[in-house]
Amino acid sequence: MEVLECLLSGKCVEGSLRYDAVTGKIMFRAYNRESRKPGYVRPKDKLLASLEHGWLKESPKCIKYYCALKKSIGVPRIVTAMEREMRIATGHLVDREIVDRV
């Protein structure tokens, strides 16, 4: 019933179609996504470290690492900078783990 109300109000509904062999009809099953429910607020990522060329963040399920460098500096400098950033990010994670365990 909720799916029909959404469709009649002009909204899109995500779901899957399947053939039911017993009834011989095509069945629609709407996806039950948390983000589509009223009042849902996506939790913000927590910034763990701000790096020279990116950041390290924590979401409820993942640790996110981002590094962006210009191609114009050349591959050797990009590789060196990425390794340096990764060492710093790893250090932040290890320090955080040590503090959390104490």
Side-chain angles (χ1 to χ4, degrees):
M1 217 42 204
E2 293 174 22
V3 173
L4 187 57
E5 289 174 10
C6 288
L7 289 173
L8 292 174
S9 67
K11 295 182 180 177
C12 295
V13 179
E14 295 178 341
S16 62
L17 287 174
R18 66 180 183 87
Y19 177 75
D20 189 0
V22 176
T23 61
K25 295 181 181 179
I26 295 177
M27 305 296 289
F28 177 76
R29 182 169 163 247
Y31 296 144
N32 186 17
R33 300 192 193 267
E34 287 291 320
S35 61
R36 302 286 190 248
K37 293 181 180 175
Y40 175 80
V41 178
R42 183 178 168 266
K44 298 292 181 192
D45 295 341
K46 179 182 173 188
L47 181 68
L48 299 179
S50 181
L51 306 171
E52 184 179 352
H53 301 287
W55 43 254
L56 180 69
K57 291 183 179 181
E58 178 186 24
S59 73
K61 294 183 181 180
C62 298
I63 298 291
K64 299 176 183 180
Y65 167 73
Y66 175 75
C67 180
L69 298 160
K70 300 223 182 248
K71 288 187 203 177
S72 62
I73 65 172
V75 173
R77 288 178 64 192
I78 289 173
V79 170
T80 304
M82 287 176 76
E83 289 173 346
R84 183 178 63 245
E85 295 273 312
M86 185 59 79
R87 276 196 310 272
I88 293 169
T90 305
H92 280 286
L93 281 176
V94 170
D95 292 345
R96 186 171 172 269
E97 185 70 18
I98 290 171
V99 170
D100 286 347
R101 289 183 182 241
V102 173

